[in-house]
Amino acid sequence: MRTYRKTRQKSPPWRALAVVGLLIVGGGVVYSLVLRRPVNLSLIVGAELVPEDALMAASISTNSGQWQRLREYGTPESQALFQEQLEEMETRILGNSDLTYEEDIAPWVGDRITLAVLPAPEIGADTPLEALQADRSNLFIVPIGNASRLQSRVAQLEGGLGLQERNYRGVTLYEPQIDDPLSEEALNRPKTLAVVDRRFVLLSQEPSAVMRAIDAYRDNGSILRVPGYNQAWEGLPGTDLASVFLNVPRGLAVLAEDSTRPLNPEAIENPQHQGLASTIGLESDGIRFHTLSWLKSDSEITLDVESRLPLTLVNRFPDSTTMVMTGLNFQQLWEDHLQNAQTNPLIPLNSAWFRSALQQTVGVNLENELLNWMTGEFALGLVPSRGNDDTTFPGSLVVMAETTNTEATETLFRRIDRAVVDRYGFEVNVEVEELGQRRLVTWDTRRQGLEVSHGWLGDSVVFFTIGAPVTQMLLPQPDLALSRSSRFSHVVPREPDPSHGLFFLGLDGTILEDEQEALPLPLLRLPPEQQGVLDAVEAIGVRAGVQDERSSRYDIFVKIRRP
């Protein structure tokens, strides 16, 4: 999305698709009003205890049926990894104690447990010694669903936990006795815990995290005060597995501290985005995310709610397509990328390098000769080769763009054709398409199996391919379009509607035209743990759209393999 300074003009919503969520809940309104606390309309249980500067907070279901369903997803390898992650989570909550979740927590816990990640505390003259070593800390907020069972279990364990008591702002803290707060023993300390208003148990390895949660509760300084926080959930449906909130300004600030590339300090101090909320639910064949992101109330940009053109370029990709991404207005997407790159160190593409490489290799000025006509729909896809093609490449990268100036577009490609002949000695073969009398150009790169081609798909859509020969699969129309195949329609969400972009990635192999075989997608091999998770995924679908001038909606579906 494009960023405008001070003029508050419109900008399209196609942002990095990314991931995870929340919803509204009406309970506790009267209680909150009586205590004059902000009303919690989210599915972050205990949000009133999460400090306003938290990097993120996630509420996770304690329903054993949900976790049993998750255990049944994926491959045997991914199921084993998932079980390991559950055991690690239990260790994080209970530390090195002899307690277990099933025996000591499950009988009394509420329907969700919240994990909040807090930044390092600010250091001042009155900072406790134990907080001096604190970095980012995990805070667990455990709602009490059955107080009598909790009391019974505590009575059985009384004296066996080796904890001492102290008071902090009217709340009793239970923590291990450690003589030197800066010692190695303190670094590996068991959890500090506290019970707040007989409703929540707080747990953290950092005592300062528990105290900051109490401060947030006593001073009404929780994430409920984040602008737009409660309103965000009104645009999301409820789900049963988990809810997530990301505090974008705080998160970007922490990432900037660890960044190895220079960022814009002014942009980091004044980010345009405020937050991201998501709800996560289980379905019979996968996991669905409903996500909403929103801008700060004083943001100098707004989102373009008037651009509601249907996405049609996906209809021009064959059903065997492995990956496709479509959106609107690549020109402003690029400008949005430049703006976000100033604050987000996770953005991988070096825009200066890309601009320079394009200029040096084929003599094209990115902004003046390419982006100025790419204001319509665009698409990027990976199309596998046919099984009988004589090629060493498994597929081809395909770029399509709707042009607003056909003459400028044709002139640009003629210049590029001349450049590859003059600079690299390629031969350029030109054919005239039967439909529309447009040029179809193929470069002879003198490398067997590598084809570079470009041409027209109708009057205003230009395409460019590099890799295996796939042009005949695109012209004049694919025999069966990807958008009409079940592997696409069952994965890519139908909402938000209207949408401004979509993404599809099929990891199930690709159907060959003449053989009922699967062509594996050529991906970089990941470390064993991550690769085990990836192998369990069959497909990913995303659809994005604008909700209003200050919020965008992203729906994501991850289809999981069955054993």
Side-chain angles (χ1 to χ4, degrees), residues 63-88:
N63 186 322
S64 59
Q66 297 292 321
W67 295 99
Q68 182 57 41
R69 288 181 66 187
L70 272 175
R71 288 187 178 95
E72 296 171 357
Y73 285 178
T75 63
E77 292 77 12
S78 68
Q79 291 172 349
L81 289 171
F82 178 68
Q83 184 60 37
E84 290 179 12
Q85 293 296 319
L86 289 181
E87 293 172 359
E88 288 182 12

Side-chain angles (χ1 to χ4, degrees), residues 47 70 80 116 130 136 139 165 232 239 305 364 410 470:
L70 272 175
E130 60 265 24
R136 293 162 215 166
L139 170 70
E165 300 179 10
T239 50
V305 296
V364 172
E410 184 65 36
V470 298

Side-chain angles (χ1 to χ4, degrees), residues 197-445:
D197 285 351
R198 299 182 180 180
R199 298 170 59 222
F200 299 103
V201 175
L202 305 181
L203 290 166
S204 180
Q205 194 166 357
E206 297 292 345
S208 61
V210 175
M211 292 187 289
R212 289 160 71 186
I214 296 171
D215 289 340
Y217 188 69
R218 293 287 190 234
D219 301 334
N220 292 340
S222 71
I223 55 174
L224 296 178
R225 293 292 187 184
V226 173
Y229 176 86
N230 272 330
Q231 294 88 331
W233 313 129
E234 298 175 2
L236 294 174
T239 50
D240 49 11
L241 178 63
S243 311
V244 179
F245 163 70
L246 300 181
N247 194 335
V248 175
R250 299 290 183 175
L252 290 178
V254 170
L255 289 174
E257 294 175 0
D258 300 333
S259 175
T260 57
R261 68 177 175 87
L263 301 172
N264 186 332
E266 182 180 354
I268 294 173
E269 289 292 328
N270 301 285
Q272 302 296 311
H273 297 80
Q274 181 65 70
L276 182 147
S278 181
T279 54
I280 309 170
L282 298 182
E283 298 188 5
S284 60
D285 55 351
I287 304 173
R288 190 171 301 275
F289 302 78
H290 298 284
T291 302
L292 186 140
S293 66
W294 68 98
L295 302 173
K296 297 181 72 173
S297 57
D298 59 351
S299 169
E300 296 176 350
I301 66 174
T302 57
L303 307 181
D304 187 0
V305 296
E306 299 174 358
S307 179
R308 297 182 180 276
L309 299 176
L311 301 173
T312 61
L313 290 186
V314 68
N315 300 329
R316 295 185 176 275
F317 284 85
D319 68 320
S320 59
T321 300
T322 297
M323 184 278 290
V324 68
M325 179 185 75
T326 71
L328 297 175
N329 200 333
F330 188 81
Q331 180 188 61
Q332 292 192 356
L333 172 65
W334 177 257
E335 294 180 5
D336 184 59
H337 164 80
L338 296 179
Q339 174 69 23
N340 291 336
Q342 298 181 55
T343 59
N344 191 344
L346 298 180
I347 293 180
L349 179 62
N350 186 318
S351 55
W353 171 87
F354 182 74
R355 186 187 293 110
S356 175
L358 196 61
Q359 180 71 51
Q360 293 179 13
T361 54
V362 291
V364 172
N365 184 289
L366 176 64
E367 282 81 7
N368 296 336
E369 297 181 283
L370 190 62
L371 296 181
N372 60 355
W373 52 262
M374 295 186 68
T375 57
E377 187 181 356
F378 68 90
L380 174 71
L382 289 175
V383 178
S385 62
R386 299 172 185 267
N388 54 3
D389 285 334
D390 184 15
T391 177
T392 57
F393 293 87
S396 178
L397 176 66
V398 178
V399 180
M400 298 181 189
E402 184 180 27
T403 176
T404 55
N405 189 330
T406 56
E407 183 177 351
T409 304
E410 184 65 36
T411 299
L412 173 64
F413 276 102
R414 288 178 185 271
R415 281 191 51 218
I416 295 176
D417 291 340
R418 287 196 299 270
V420 297
V421 171
D422 296 340
R423 298 187 184 192
Y424 309 109
F426 291 178
E427 291 184 6
V428 175
N429 303 315
V430 181
E431 300 178 14
V432 177
E433 301 175 30
E434 295 181 4
L435 186 63
Q437 297 299 300
R438 296 280 193 179
R439 296 194 321 147
L440 172 61
V441 178
T442 304
W443 299 350
D444 182 358
T445 63

